Every structure is written in C-alpha cells, then in structure tokens.
Amino acid sequence: MVGTAYLFAVCVGLTISMALIPLLVRAAPRFGLLDVPDSRKVHATPIPRVGGVAIVIGGLVAMLFLVPLDRLMQSYLLGVAVLFTLGVWDDIREIGHYTKFAGQFAAVSILVLHGDVYITRLPFGWETVPPEFGIPFTIFAIVGMINAINHSDGLDGLAGGESLLSLVAIGYLAHVAGAIDVVIIAAAMIGGILGFLRFNTHPARIFMGDAGSQVLGLTLGFLAVLLTQNVNPALSAALPALLLGLPICDILGVLYLRITHGMNWFRASRNHIHHRLLALDLAHHESVVVIYSIQMLLVLLGVLLRFETDVLVLGVYLVIVSAVFTVLTVAERSSWRADRFRRENRLLRSLGDGRLDPRLGDWSLTALRVLIPGYLILINVLAGAPPYDIGLVAAVVFAVILLEMAFGNGKSSVLVRAAVYVAVIFTVYMDMVHGPLWLEAHGIWITAFFGLIAVLIGVNLRTRERAIFELTPFDYLVVCAVIGLVVIGQEQRLSDEIAAGAVKAVVLLYGCELILTAARRRLGVLNIATAAALGIMCLRGLT
C-alpha cells in the first residue's frame, strides 16, 4: 500500500536518526566535529556538529528500501555523496568558500546532467526554455538553494524546521500527482529531520552542520524542480518561490545588504532575518517561532495557489516577504524592543501565573499512564493484520526496545523514545486503516477519549515546573503541521481522515512525552505497553 510506504519511510528515517545521534555525539570530539563559539554565533559552548550525518544516513537508508535505483535516483545519490563528503570535511576543518562552491556546482551538475532534471519552463509564459539556458540556470538555482538553507542554519531548530515544512508541502503535491518516489524521498528526509529536531530544539545539544544543511538544500531544490517541471507541469512555474519560502528571500536580502554596504559577499555576517530578530530582543525560541510562522504561511499558500497564474503566485510571495522586511526595518529604525514591550504589557506579564494544585498533576499523570498504554494494546488486539512492511519494522523496533529495557542504562533513553514514537504512529495508522468497524461507529466516544487525554495533558502542564516539561518551537512546528493538514484536507475534502489521524498522533505523542519525562523505572508501564503493541504488530504482520 502506498500509504504504508510513506509511513515506513518516515519511521525508518526517524528511528535511525534518533539512534545514531547519541553515538555520533560521543564520537564528535575525537573527529573534531565541534562547533566552537565566535562573535557571529549565538551559542556559548562547543556543540557537536553531527546532526546532519544522522539526518542523511536515516533518510538514505529509508529511500534505499523503497525507491528503485534508476538513473534519476543514482544521480541524486551521487550528488548527495559529494555534498555529504565535503560537508563533513568542512565541519571538521574549514575548507574555504571556493572549495565549497566547487563541490556544490559539481554535485548539482551530476544531478542535472546525469539525471536529466532541469528547468524547461519559466514564469510569465516562457514555456519552451532551451537546454542551453535551462541547464545552467537550474544548476545556479539549486546551488543558490543549497546556500540558502546553509545560511539559515543559525538558530536551534531553524533550518530543520523550515526544510521540514517545505518537504511536507512538496510531498503532499507529489502525492496528489501520483509521484510515489518523490513522496518517499520527501518522507524519508522528514523522518531524519524529526529525529534530529528531538535534540536540536533550544537549547540545542547538537547542530546540523554543513553535511546536513547542504544535503537538505540539494534535496529541496531537486524536488521543487522535479515536481513543477516533470511530475506535474500544470503547476505554476513560479510555485517553488512559495514552496521553498523564506530562505530564498533571506539569502537575497543578505546579499543585497552586503553589496550595498561594501562587504565581502562570501564572509559570514549577522544580517540574516534571525539575527535581526534577536537584535530586537526577541528570545531565541521567539525568533524561531516567528520564522516558522512565516514559512508555514508561504508553503501553505503554495499548496492552495498551485494552479493560479504566475503573476498571482509571485505577487503573493513578494507581498509577504516585502512585509517581513518592511516590519523589520521599521522596528529597527524606531528602536522597538521586544523586552520593553513585554514589560509594558500586563497580559504578557500575567502569562504563566495561576498554576494548579500539584496533586492534580499526579492524578492526571496516573490517568495518562493507564489510558495511553491501554489504547496502544487494545487497538492492536482489535485491529486487522498490519501490512508486511509494518510488521517487519515493528519486529526490528521490538527487538531494540527489549534489549534496551533489559540492558540499557536509562529509564527513558533515546532508543526507548524512538520505539514509543514508532509504536504510536503505527497504532494510529492501524486504528484508521485496519480498525474494527464497530469502533468507527462510536466516533463520539473516540473523540471524547482523545479530548480527555488532551485535557489531562493540559492539567499536567499547568502543575509542572518549566524545567520538567517545557513547550518548545518544535511543539509549535508540530501544531503548524497539524493546522496545515487540516487546511489541505479541507481543500481536498479529506479532512476527516488526514486531520483526525494527525491530531490523534500529536495528542498521544505529547502524552507519551510526559510519561517518559516523569518515568522513575526502566520497566515503566508505557515501555511494557510499547513492547506489547510492537510484538502484536510483528507477530500478526509477519505471520
């Protein structure tokens, strides 16, 4: 089943990425993969620069399971190999701008020339662009996208979150057009990014590095060209501007400022959008949330306006980015500061007050420890047999969580968390696709069940200290993705299926995160229920 392949790609990328990161973090000092603070950076201590390695390996393993190695895929993999190698080298030892650019042009040239992927039509009626112009223009454009993502990697979670939003939109449009391989590539990279963001949310424990940001930029540029030029030529030729979003205008704005101020074009500076937001006294996480919001708006409009005229698509893009730069400039010139605004605003000062009785937190956590594990086991007992590939992944993850529970040294380690995430996603899928019909007939009770879990999570959060469980930009990113799925689902009249599954998964994952964060024993009830759910899926899927 096509939907199973997409789910498989996300889960494999997520699991491998999360499993690799702790190993890579321990190896980072030995290989010099550390990001050392300087005057341009916002962190104060050396941070391992290995997240990109986990993203790329997790994504590629998932792709190799599912995507045939035809000429196009070979070209993409060769391009990724060149950029990944140079990126790791640059993360260990700065290799210089010219060497980096040479590697980027080589990687993109392989992809464009060997894969035969290049722009054949441009906006405003240029429907027959000759290869003599289309090929070099495509190479230049994708190299530009590589550097746009590379330069946007300046705050915790920023480049990964922006890329994830763009990949979701591209994957959705490819799915609608029936381009299964394109969706799988996007889904695999989404899984790798999700595993990375688990460690990269502020304050970050790891960074992506050039190995990750350059491969993400190549993937985004490649998929945007493939989608609009080959997969579905009915799409607006200007659509990549909205789908790729804020990183494009950010890098162009930075180049403009460097040129007008007589600065070195290639020397890093602090005039990116995220630097300007920080200069306005926005907190680190506030700056990331602002950029996520703008990126979400752009990619969502890209999906909704995909068949509109090029004039409208580019016009909408230019209006939004012009508004962003105008607001920034006005705020800078008027000496507006977020910190002063917060002090003067009574509503903002009141946020966070009124915490509930801690005993309510204990009761709500106990209820979550009963309801969520019960759901994981009950659905898998009542549902039909899962597809073979889900059974296969469940078998691998089942073995991993058993080993971790038996011999691991942590009550809620990364591997346990990854196993819980996979079990939750698979269980929601089984509920939606293979669940018993009599359960569907009682939809009001299902809604009440998940509403109760959401209320229990809210009660628990209002009784806990921020240090125990704090909402982050990654949580906001998840909310953005759910809102996007609801809007897209309504536009395609698929809202009941898409949005319901997304909401169920998000509610369960946050409940699981609370349980794992408060866990005191290695063999907690959620761990045991996860192993049981995976074991049932494995047994029924493989037999």
Side-chain angles (χ1 to χ4, degrees):
M1 294 175 62
V2 171
T4 307
Y6 303 161
L7 187 63
F8 182 91
V10 172
C11 288
V12 170
L14 168 70
T15 304
I16 292 176
S17 177
M18 287 187 67
L20 281 177
I21 285 174
L23 303 176
L24 293 169
V25 167
R26 288 196 288 269
R30 182 183 306 173
F31 294 98
L33 283 164
L34 294 173
D35 194 307
V36 180
D38 60 33
S39 59
R40 189 182 60 86
K41 298 172 182 176
V42 298
H43 60 285
T45 58
I47 303 290
R49 198 154 38 180
V50 295
V53 177
I55 292 173
V56 175
I57 294 176
L60 291 185
V61 170
M63 291 177 211
L64 291 173
F65 268 112
L66 299 167
V67 181
L69 280 176
D70 55 14
R71 180 168 178 155
L72 180 63
M73 190 62 183
Q74 291 171 8
S75 305
Y76 170 71
L77 293 176
L78 285 172
V80 167
V82 172
L83 282 184
F84 181 73
T85 303
L86 287 175
V88 172
W89 183 15
D90 189 57
D91 289 334
I92 296 173
R93 182 183 297 109
E94 295 286 342
I95 61 176
H97 300 297
Y98 297 109
T99 304
K100 188 183 296 186
F101 274 118
Q104 291 170 358
F105 275 101
V108 177
S109 297
I110 293 171
L111 175 60
V112 171
L113 297 175
H114 185 66
D116 202 28
V117 177
Y118 59 88
I119 292 170
T120 57
R121 61 190 186 95
L122 290 171
F124 310 117
W126 290 27
E127 296 291 337
T128 55
V129 176
E132 293 79 12
F133 176 79
I135 289 175
F137 181 78
T138 305
I139 293 173
F140 177 81
I142 296 180
V143 168
M145 190 61 204
I146 292 171
N147 285 282
I149 296 296
N150 183 242
H151 283 80
S152 71
D153 188 24
L155 295 181
D156 299 342
L158 188 55
E162 287 182 307
S163 300
L164 187 145
L165 290 171
S166 293
L167 286 168
V168 168
I170 291 172
Y172 171 76
L173 293 179
H175 168 68
V176 171
I180 297 173
D181 291 349
V182 174
V183 185
I184 290 173
I185 292 172
M189 295 307 292
I190 287 170
I193 293 171
L194 287 172
F196 161 74
L197 287 176
R198 181 67 182 76
F199 300 86
N200 186 239
T201 299
H202 183 71
R205 286 174 278 171
I206 59 167
F207 287 160
M208 182 183 298
D210 277 15
S213 62
Q214 292 194 105
V215 171
L216 285 180
L218 175 74
T219 303
L220 287 169
F222 161 61
L223 293 182
V225 172
L226 190 63
L227 174 69
T228 55
Q229 302 292 321
N230 298 54
V231 170
N232 191 359
L235 298 173
S236 167
L239 195 62
L242 286 172
L243 294 181
L244 301 177
L246 202 57
I248 298 176
C249 69
D250 184 33
I251 191 70
L252 292 176
V254 168
L255 285 174
Y256 171 77
L257 290 175
R258 291 177 183 175
I259 293 170
T260 55
H261 289 79
M263 301 166 62
N264 187 321
W265 289 22
F266 306 117
R267 186 180 298 278
S269 59
R270 293 184 63 89
N271 47 17
H272 288 276
I273 290 175
H274 56 270
H275 289 131
R276 298 172 69 178
L277 290 172
L278 291 174
L280 293 173
D281 282 345
L282 268 75
H284 191 294
H285 68 279
E286 292 172 334
S287 302
V288 174
V289 165
V290 168
I291 293 174
Y292 281 174
S293 301
I294 300 168
Q295 181 76 349
M296 177 64 185
L297 175 63
L298 290 169
V299 300
L300 191 55
L301 286 172
V303 172
L304 299 177
L305 301 177
R306 60 188 181 274
F307 295 124
E308 300 296 334
T309 64
D310 298 337
V311 173
L312 179 61
V313 171
L314 276 181
V316 168
Y317 180 75
L318 291 174
V319 166
I320 294 174
V321 299
S322 298
V324 170
F325 285 112
T326 299
V327 170
L328 278 175
T329 303
V330 169
E332 290 166 343
R333 292 180 178 177
S334 63
S335 299
W336 182 90
R337 292 295 181 268
D339 188 54
R340 186 173 64 213
F341 175 76
R342 280 190 289 267
R343 289 198 305 270
E344 295 172 355
N345 191 296
R346 293 182 180 178
L347 176 62
L348 291 178
R349 288 204 310 269
S350 69
L351 290 178
D353 293 342
R355 292 203 174 276
L356 300 176
D357 189 328
R359 288 176 295 181
L360 289 175
D362 296 334
W363 295 337
S364 62
L365 186 61
T366 300
L368 289 172
R369 284 172 171 156
V370 172
L371 294 175
I372 293 178
Y375 173 82
L376 293 178
I377 295 175
L378 185 64
I379 291 298
N380 284 288
V381 169
L382 297 177
Y388 177 81
D389 46 5
I390 281 188
L392 185 61
V393 175
V396 174
V397 181
F398 175 68
V400 168
I401 193 172
L402 285 185
L403 290 172
E404 183 63 22
M405 288 166 61
F407 305 108
N409 54 11
K411 58 182 180 295
S412 59
S413 72
V414 172
L415 291 177
V416 169
R417 272 185 159 83
V420 170
Y421 296 165
V422 171
V424 166
I425 294 171
F426 279 1
T427 301
V428 170
Y429 173 81
M430 294 298 297
D431 184 4
M432 293 173 59
V433 179
H434 301 283
L437 294 178
W438 63 265
L439 195 58
E440 280 186 37
H442 297 80
I444 184 65
W445 295 107
I446 300 297
T447 302
F449 173 79
F450 281 95
L452 175 60
I453 291 180
V455 169
L456 292 171
I457 292 171
V459 168
N460 193 277
L461 290 176
R462 295 302 297 166
T463 64
R464 298 287 179 179
E465 296 296 332
R466 289 173 62 86
I468 295 177
F469 186 87
E470 183 177 357
L471 296 179
T472 67
F474 181 61
D475 306 314
Y476 178 77
L477 185 66
V478 172
V479 172
C480 284
V482 171
I483 293 172
L485 285 172
V486 171
V487 173
I488 291 171
Q490 290 176 342
E491 188 254 353
Q492 287 290 313
R493 302 187 181 183
L494 296 172
S495 57
D496 289 343
E497 182 179 350
I498 297 176
V503 171
K504 286 180 181 179
V506 168
V507 169
L508 290 173
L509 287 172
Y510 278 112
C512 290
E513 189 67 24
L514 278 174
I515 296 171
L516 290 170
T517 303
R520 294 186 179 89
R521 298 190 305 272
R522 182 185 302 164
L523 296 178
V525 62
L526 180 60
N527 297 0
I528 295 171
T530 296
L534 291 168
I536 295 169
M537 281 186 262
C538 161
L539 184 64
R540 300 181 69 183
L542 297 183
T543 59

